[in-house]
Amino acid sequence: MDATFKLENAVFNYRVAAIMLEKNHLLLHKQVNDNYWALPGGRVKVLEDSQASIKREIKEELDFNIKVDNLVWITENFFEYDQRNYHEIGLYYHVSLQEGSFTLEKESFYGEEGDRLIYKWIPLEDLHNIQLRPEFLKTALKEIPTKPEHIIIKD
C-alpha cells in the first residue's frame, strides 16, 4: 500500500524522485497524456523508507540498479491535478548507477512498465523550454545544493 491518502476534497501524497544526470543531461518522464515532465520516481509505500522506495521505483520503471548519493530537496508541494487538490511531501535524491554510467538515448523511450510513461534525456540548458513540474526545478537543477534544502511550493 502506497502512502497516498484520498480525503473528501484533497489528496495527501508521499513521493520520492530521482535526479539522474549524465553529461549535462537530466532524465525526465511524463504520463503519455500529460503535457508536462517530471523527475522519475513514485510513491513511498507504507512502512518503506524513502531510499528503499526510490531504488524500488527506478528498478520497476527502468530496470536500473541505483545507489542513493544524497538527499537534495525536501518539498511540501501544494497543487491541483485532475480536479483535485494535492498536498505532497517529496524527497528528491541525487542517484547514480551502482556500476557504470547512464546511457544517453537520443530519442524518447518507454520504460519497463510499458507505454504509460515516456522518458527522455533533456539537456540541462533546455529545461527552460519545457513544462517541468514542480517548476522550481527549472532553475534549481542548474546548481544542485550540497546540503538538503526544504522548499514549500504553492502552485
Side-chain angles (χ1 to χ4, degrees), residues 73 123-128 137-144:
W73 294 294
L124 287 173
E125 67 264 13
D126 291 347
L127 290 180
H128 65 281
L137 292 170
K138 283 185 177 188
T139 54
L141 283 163
K142 293 179 181 177
E143 202 167 316
I144 296 175

Side-chain angles (χ1 to χ4, degrees), residues 41-142:
R43 293 178 178 92
V44 176
K45 290 184 178 181
V46 173
L47 300 178
E48 179 181 50
D49 72 75
S50 61
Q51 290 189 19
S53 294
I54 195 61
K55 290 176 184 177
R56 174 186 50 76
E57 284 288 343
I58 299 305
K59 180 68 174 172
E60 289 173 359
E61 292 179 10
L62 294 160
D63 198 27
F64 294 164
N65 293 311
I66 60 164
K67 62 181 177 180
V68 174
D69 297 324
N70 60 299
L71 176 63
V72 178
W73 294 294
I74 302 131
T75 63
E76 297 178 62
N77 193 2
F78 300 88
F79 61 95
E80 186 179 315
Y81 178 74
D82 204 18
Q83 300 177 344
R84 297 194 77 174
N85 291 317
Y86 277 73
H87 177 179
E88 179 179 85
I89 302 298
L91 298 180
Y92 292 74
Y93 287 103
H94 186 253
V95 303
S96 55
L97 288 178
Q98 284 182 357
E99 294 182 20
S101 56
F102 296 109
T103 302
L104 292 182
E105 306 275 342
K106 290 195 186 289
E107 301 299 321
S108 57
F109 61 96
Y110 296 111
E112 297 294 306
E113 296 178 314
D115 59 4
R116 184 178 66 88
L117 293 171
I118 299 170
Y119 295 84
K120 186 164 183 145
W121 288 97
I122 306 285
L124 287 173
E125 67 264 13
D126 291 347
L127 290 180
H128 65 281
N129 293 326
I130 64 168
Q131 287 193 46
L132 180 61
R133 294 209 182 136
E135 195 161 313
F136 88 95
L137 292 170
K138 283 185 177 188
T139 54
L141 283 163
K142 293 179 181 177

